[in-house]
Amino acid sequence: MIKVAIAGIRGRMGSTALQAITGAPDMEVVAALDYKYEGMYYHDSAVTEEPVGIPFYTSLADLAADTQPDILLDVTDPDAVFHNVKEAIALGIHPVVGTSGLTQDHLAILSELSVAARLGGIIAPNFSIGAVLMMKFSAMAARYLGDVEILEMHHDRKLDAPSGTAVKTADMIKEVREPHVQGHPEEQEHQAGARGADVEGMKIHSIRLPGLLAHQQVLLGGEGELLTIRHDSFDRNCFMPGILMAIREVREQEHLIYGLENIIE
């Protein structure tokens, strides 16, 4: 049985992860890491003082000593996750991260720690299998259609922009695309930000509106044609298969993996 601790269990992604893991025959949630509620329990989507359900801990070291988890699934925020993952690696707990917004410096540090400890970890900007395939297909297409714009759309409670998925998509495309400026060479931006963020000449546009969940389209232009690759997440249940895949795979690794595309053939 794979023993999982969840950081961020009270959030939207945390509740989705709890549902996925609870329904898996080879996994169990043994603890929750939180910044409060020490000594309390999570039961039926509520915090209770009754000793039923999943125990809360504010210290990962105490959590590890009491429950010996194999995995720390972190779906909190970038400010907390970096510290959590560093401590998890030091404690010999495999980190699986579903939080976007980590910097390249953070990723480099965590990768070094993971390799030194020979302890596998997975950081997934997106747990949706469909979204990962969208990124892979976009990188394939960018070999032939190198003028690219990325439009990502999320709910208005999302903190980071651009999204981790958009950044990861651009990173994958950068590997196959020659850097160049797109559009008219004398283009003028009369309103700051109108052309979006610039990544080696590619543009990323972020939309935040109520009613959206997680959506992205990649536009690839060529002479007389346009290829659009789009993915839509309408329900957080679409993240469940990717969460379970990452938890099962991470124990077989001895380094940090950035992106589920690296474990999907």
Side-chain angles (χ1 to χ4, degrees), residues 103-200:
T103 67
Q104 291 298 317
D105 287 343
H106 285 162
L107 292 172
I109 292 169
L110 296 177
S111 181
E112 289 178 6
L113 292 173
S114 175
V115 170
R118 300 185 65 182
L119 187 82
I122 293 177
I123 296 177
N126 200 315
F127 279 122
S128 163
I129 303 300
V132 173
L133 292 174
M134 174 266 297
M135 291 186 273
K136 289 174 72 76
F137 297 157
S138 297
M140 291 171 58
R143 292 180 180 273
Y144 308 98
L145 298 171
D147 281 10
V148 183
E149 303 224 359
I150 299 170
L151 177 64
E152 58 96 348
M153 300 160 281
H154 285 79
H155 55 88
D156 60 343
R157 306 304 295 170
K158 185 171 178 59
L159 296 176
D160 56 315
S163 69
T165 300
V167 172
K168 181 62 173 173
T169 304
D171 287 344
M172 293 170 65
I173 290 174
K174 279 163 52 179
E175 295 181 7
V176 300
R177 174 187 177 274
E178 285 294 325
H180 64 275
V181 176
Q182 298 176 180
H184 196 284
E186 298 179 9
E187 180 179 85
Q188 298 177 10
E189 191 178 59
H190 293 296
Q191 293 286 341
R195 290 290 292 122
D198 187 285
V199 181
E200 294 189 353

Side-chain angles (χ1 to χ4, degrees), residues 91-102:
L91 292 167
I93 304 169
H94 295 277
V96 174
V97 177
T99 301
S100 60
L102 287 169

Side-chain angles (χ1 to χ4, degrees), residues 53-121:
I54 301 164
F56 278 107
Y57 290 84
T58 56
S59 164
L60 183 56
D62 291 344
L63 182 157
D66 289 349
T67 64
Q68 292 87 47
D70 303 298
I71 310 291
L72 174 67
L73 175 64
D74 196 310
V75 287
T76 54
D77 59 70
D79 291 334
V81 73
F82 178 64
H83 172 75
N84 291 344
V85 173
K86 281 205 307 181
E87 190 172 6
I89 293 172
L91 292 167
I93 304 169
H94 295 277
V96 174
V97 177
T99 301
S100 60
L102 287 169
T103 67
Q104 291 298 317
D105 287 343
H106 285 162
L107 292 172
I109 292 169
L110 296 177
S111 181
E112 289 178 6
L113 292 173
S114 175
V115 170
R118 300 185 65 182
L119 187 82

